[in-house]
Amino acid sequence: MRTGYPFCKTLLALGKCRHDAESLRKRGMIETAFTPFQSLAGGVLIGLAAVLLMWTLGRVMGATGILAGLLAPASVYDFGWRAALLAGMVTGPVAYLAVTGEMPPIEVPVSTPMLLIGGFIVGVGVTFGSGCTSGHGVCGMARLSKRSIVATLSFMVTTAATVYVIRHVFGG
């Protein structure tokens, strides 16, 4: 049984821990699974998509920039490639269904208000940072952009600090 606490697995085996996965879920705590192969495969696919977009259309794959351009496209052509790319992102689970015969398990362990607040904060961050993790982290870092390296480092440091505060200060 996996839990969000590092030593709970051992303690659960000894019968000394109360933090099983169900009790954590009831308390609104998030369980983190270590999935290195799935993460690697996802990273490879994102990298290939970024290279394909740059190679075929000469465009940088930044998800927030693509979405923003879809809302105010410069031309019909501009709208078309952006809509096709976003449709591909959204229909990924359907492709998974076609290959495996079942929908991928998707869990959203936070409440709707937390999602809305998180989305707002991300929107503010990508506006001030001139891009998101896909634009800076995948494309900008690959081009050795100093701005993207700084932005990606700030994303990672902020992420680590946020996870620490949420899990260890607020206990969520």
Side-chain angles (χ1 to χ4, degrees), residues 5-25:
Y5 293 119
F7 301 109
C8 281
K9 190 173 184 178
T10 304
L11 294 175
L12 277 170
L14 298 172
K16 303 269 185 194
C17 182
R18 307 176 278 119
H19 300 123
D20 60 70
E22 185 59 31
S23 72
L24 292 174
R25 235 177 251 117

Side-chain angles (χ1 to χ4, degrees), residues 3 9 19 25 32 35 43 48 50 55 66 83 89 96 104-105 119 122 127 130 137-138 153 155-156 162-163:
T3 72
K9 190 173 184 178
H19 300 123
R25 235 177 251 117
T32 303
T35 57
L48 287 174
W55 182 44
I66 292 169
M89 290 179 181
Y96 184 90
V122 168
T127 301
S130 300
V138 176
L153 286 173
F155 297 154
M156 296 299 117
T162 301
V163 168

Side-chain angles (χ1 to χ4, degrees), residues 76-165:
V76 173
Y77 171 77
D78 189 55
F79 177 83
W81 75 263
R82 291 172 190 274
L85 199 141
L86 289 172
M89 290 179 181
V90 173
T91 57
V94 177
Y96 184 90
L97 173 66
V99 172
T100 65
E102 61 185 38
M103 289 295 283
I106 298 173
E107 289 185 35
V108 180
V110 297
S111 66
T112 301
M114 289 297 284
L115 283 176
L116 294 173
I117 292 168
F120 176 76
I121 292 171
V122 168
V124 170
V126 299
T127 301
F128 285 115
S130 300
C132 61
T133 52
S134 59
H136 283 301
V138 176
C139 299
M141 296 265 296
R143 292 180 299 142
L144 301 177
S145 163
K146 289 178 184 174
R147 184 179 76 155
S148 292
I149 292 169
V150 170
T152 304
L153 286 173
S154 73
F155 297 154
M156 296 299 117
V157 169
T158 303
T159 300
T162 301
V163 168
Y164 180 84
V165 169

